[in-house]
Amino acid sequence: MEKRLTISAMLFSVGFVFMLVVAVGAFFYGVQLGSERMEAKYSAAMEGEGAIDESAVPYQQQDLVSFYLTVFSSYREFQTEWLSVTDKLSRGASVDAPSAFKSLSKLAAAKAEEASSFNMQKSPLLGDAQVAYIRSMNKFKEAANKAADSGASDHAALLKDIQEGSAYQAAVTAALAGQNAYYHAMLKWAATVDLNIAGEYKTPATLSIKEWSSLPLTVKNYVIGQYLADRKELYSFYPHDLTSRVDEFIYSGQASKMKLQTMNSIVELLLNTRAVDPGDFAPNRARYYDAETLPQLPFFYSQP
């Protein structure tokens, strides 16, 4: 009797284990199948988004304004603080570097979240710019955390280490890509408002002063945005500030006196001599651009 119970118990145990193995296997197979289906669904959705005819997407002023208020301003607030801290470090000012970079890390996270609060993906260029700015602030956060934990007392060495780091370089590249995409979206918008403005412009490697001077303002700003993105350096001024300084340099006769023949040579001179400041566009707007097509964005109509 005891033997029979033992065999029954053994058979029951084996059967239970077998059922458990089958159930667990079925569960994981279901999870895998569900994951594959979900992945296929999102892949198809992404391919569908990638197939959007960008030339057919209308860029409206309200989209440019929404981007400015929700994404661009958040990034610029962070950038202003970052440049303020790094400028103090470069001048050897008294700065509690670990504390300053911890604050910058928290600010980057907060501003990245703010920039994510509004979906700009219906407009491809603004969607690209949004993703780039969010990626930039996340990379700045990474660079700030590393700087805060470095324990370096030499500010010059710390700043050099930050700027040579992969996180910082990725942050700058992404920020400039976002800026370039935003100014490209403005060009797209201008083309819908003024039929004399083309929505695309292929910038030559070298742009003569004559050709530069014939371009509409929104094209000039787009060209400068591309130029800054290629240069991979972070500046406190806006692309249109540099545009206005280039035009001022030409119209004042300085380019002729110095025998400069291209926009490229003027830009390099202005950047290398640090001759561009935030707000340079404002005093030149009425002087040079009164008849130009511009979206109603705050940074075109007020001092920084």
Side-chain angles (χ1 to χ4, degrees):
M1 182 73 179
E2 207 175 287
K3 185 176 180 182
R4 245 184 266 160
L5 286 174
T6 303
I7 292 173
S8 297
M10 186 182 298
L11 289 173
F12 177 78
S13 298
V14 171
F16 177 77
V17 170
F18 176 76
M19 291 292 291
L20 185 62
V21 169
V22 170
V24 170
F27 171 76
F28 282 109
Y29 175 74
V31 169
Q32 181 181 357
L33 185 61
S35 298
E36 288 174 354
R37 286 178 177 173
M38 187 65 73
E39 184 178 348
K41 177 182 176 183
Y42 280 108
S43 294
M46 289 176 70
E47 286 175 8
E49 288 176 4
I52 292 175
D53 181 4
E54 190 176 293
S55 64
V57 176
Y59 284 85
Q60 301 178 359
Q61 181 162 265
Q62 66 185 33
D63 297 325
L64 298 176
V65 172
S66 295
F67 184 89
Y68 184 96
L69 295 175
T70 59
V71 180
F72 188 75
S73 293
S74 294
Y75 168 75
R76 289 292 299 194
E77 287 173 28
F78 168 77
Q79 181 185 284
T80 298
E81 292 303 315
W82 177 276
L83 290 178
S84 175
V85 170
T86 54
D87 180 60
K88 289 174 183 176
L89 288 175
S90 68
R91 291 187 288 104
S94 178
V95 181
D96 181 350
S99 177
F101 280 107
K102 282 178 183 177
S103 296
L104 284 172
S105 174
K106 291 179 182 177
L107 183 62
K111 293 303 176 182
E113 187 174 349
E114 283 182 18
S116 307
S117 65
F118 193 84
N119 187 353
M120 300 301 306
Q121 300 304 308
K122 67 177 182 178
S123 301
L125 286 170
L126 296 180
D128 289 347
Q130 181 180 34
V131 170
Y133 277 128
I134 293 169
R135 181 182 298 124
S136 174
M137 286 185 280
N138 287 332
K139 285 296 182 179
F140 271 119
K141 177 184 175 182
E142 185 181 328
N145 285 335
K146 184 178 179 182
D149 295 338
S150 71
S153 57
D154 184 337
H155 288 175
L158 174 60
L159 188 59
K160 184 174 183 291
D161 186 53
I162 292 169
Q163 293 176 342
E164 290 179 351
S166 59
Y168 174 80
Q169 291 176 7
V172 171
T173 298
L176 294 173
Q179 177 174 264
N180 190 32
Y182 190 28
Y183 279 80
H184 193 180
M186 293 180 213
L187 175 56
K188 292 278 193 181
W189 166 84
T192 67
V193 176
D194 185 344
L195 297 180
N196 293 317
I197 299 176
E200 293 292 341
Y201 179 77
K202 186 172 182 179
T203 307
T206 302
L207 188 58
S208 70
I209 289 177
K210 182 178 179 180
E211 184 174 354
W212 163 267
S213 298
S214 70
L215 297 175
L217 176 59
T218 47
V219 178
K220 289 179 177 178
N221 290 339
Y222 170 57
V223 169
I224 292 295
Q226 285 183 314
Y227 199 95
L228 294 175
D230 291 340
R231 215 170 193 264
K232 291 182 170 55
E233 288 186 43
L234 205 61
Y235 298 100
S236 59
F237 57 80
Y238 298 112
H240 51 273
D241 289 320
L242 178 51
T243 294
S244 74
R245 291 288 287 120
V246 171
D247 283 337
E248 185 178 23
F249 202 82
I250 293 170
Y251 298 147
S252 67
Q254 293 182 71
S256 179
K257 288 178 183 176
M258 298 182 69
K259 301 187 185 306
L260 299 178
Q261 302 294 321
T262 66
M263 175 278 291
N264 310 62
S265 59
I266 297 172
V267 168
E268 286 300 316
L269 176 65
L270 292 171
L271 293 179
N272 291 336
T273 56
R274 300 187 178 276
V276 188
D277 294 308
D280 278 348
F281 178 81
N284 286 328
R285 183 171 61 84
R287 189 185 312 170
Y288 302 135
Y289 312 116
D290 197 42
E292 294 277 2
T293 301
L294 279 177
Q296 298 288 321
L297 298 173
F299 59 15
F300 287 132
Y301 297 94
S302 62
Q303 296 286 352

